[in-house]
Amino acid sequence: MTKPRHTAIREQIEGLILSGVLKPGDRVPSEQELVAEHGVARMTVSRALSDLVAAGLVVRRRKAGSFVAAPPSEEKLLGVPDMRETVPGHAHAVLKRAVRVANAADRARLGALPKGARVLALLVRHDSQGVPAAMEDRLVSLDAVPEAVGQSFVEAPPGTWLLERVPWTEAEHRIRAAAADAGMAAALGMEAGAPCLVMERRTWRGDQPVTAARITWPGDRHEVTVRSSRGPLRG
């Protein structure tokens, strides 16, 4: 029995992902490219890509295309997730926003940033149902993402904006415990010295640094639970 065309296309891309030929962050051929390659209707290709998205193998980013998804453990546990989707009753406020020539500390955080490069520095508070939930300290390389300089990030927080528009090919993560200093304690409505969970992520596109984010969560208001699996699609 001949397989439906959308299944054959899905399995071809799935095989490239699961074999490691296509890696997290790699671009998946566009609908137009797949239509031309397979000689099928656009609806057939769209169904194949939708199946891959539903399986967690591919993510679609508005105006950027489709990309291989990070493994669930990386994207949900070690990554800096889309706060609008993971924080109940999410709201955010941009507390500081500055464009500057990267200093030594900025270059150390982003990694391999050339001298004289400019960065966008952001400090954002994320609230959950009106209660401070996390502080985000983020640097964005304007060499990699020049369009970020014109963004206020009032409507969408910077992490959401970047996820939708800027593909990355490599990520580095760190998770550590820290005690809240006076400033962090005041921002998050907690006692100075109280425990926090700090999640840090740096991303690159090729050899070019894209962003470095440091998310600080109150230890008594945040926990991480991950249940994930990844394997061949069925059906």
Side-chain angles (χ1 to χ4, degrees):
M1 181 176 174
T2 304
K3 292 180 181 178
R5 299 300 299 277
H6 77 274
T7 300
I9 295 169
R10 184 200 73 197
E11 289 182 349
Q12 178 191 39
I13 299 173
E14 176 193 357
L16 293 173
I17 294 172
L18 297 179
S19 67
V21 174
L22 288 176
K23 297 177 173 57
D26 284 354
R27 180 179 172 276
V28 174
S30 68
E31 287 190 2
Q32 184 176 357
E33 290 168 336
L34 290 169
V35 165
E37 178 184 349
H38 295 277
V40 297
R42 194 181 189 101
M43 183 181 298
T44 300
V45 169
S46 179
R47 182 173 176 183
L49 291 174
S50 294
D51 286 348
L52 291 164
V53 170
L57 293 174
V58 168
V59 293
R60 282 173 163 171
R61 293 172 181 159
R62 187 160 57 95
K63 298 183 180 180
S66 298
F67 300 86
V68 179
S73 59
E74 177 180 296
E75 193 69 24
K76 294 181 181 177
L77 173 59
L78 296 178
V80 178
D82 187 338
M83 303 289 272
R84 290 198 304 188
E85 295 182 1
T86 57
V87 175
H90 177 269
H92 74 284
V94 179
L95 305 182
K96 293 182 181 179
R97 184 186 186 282
V99 174
R100 63 180 181 240
V101 174
N103 55 38
D106 296 337
R107 294 196 299 273
R109 281 186 63 190
L110 280 162
L113 196 67
K115 288 186 177 181
R118 295 193 310 155
V119 296
L120 173 63
L122 297 159
L123 184 64
V124 181
R125 190 188 70 239
H126 297 271
D127 296 341
S128 175
Q129 298 173 343
V131 177
M135 291 294 294
E136 173 182 351
D137 178 357
R138 183 182 291 270
L139 293 174
V140 180
S141 167
L142 294 178
D143 282 355
V145 196
E147 60 271 31
V149 74
Q151 296 299 317
S152 66
F153 302 107
V154 171
E155 293 186 4
T160 300
W161 187 88
L162 288 164
L163 284 171
E164 290 178 346
R165 292 166 176 81
V166 184
W168 53 269
T169 58
E170 185 177 355
E172 175 186 278
H173 307 89
R174 294 177 63 207
I175 297 179
R176 59 185 173 85
D181 61 21
M184 186 63 68
L188 290 175
M190 57 195 302
E191 295 292 331
C196 296
L197 179 67
V198 182
M199 306 173 72
E200 297 183 85
R201 181 190 195 190
R202 295 193 293 178
T203 60
W204 292 263
R205 185 166 52 202
D207 294 331
Q208 186 179 45
V210 175
T211 187
R214 180 184 298 122
I215 311 293
T216 302
W217 305 83
D220 62 349
R221 295 179 221 155
H222 186 68
E223 63 180 30
V224 178
T225 301
V226 176
R227 179 176 178 177
S228 62
S229 63
R230 172 167 287 184
L233 301 179
R234 303 299 179 192

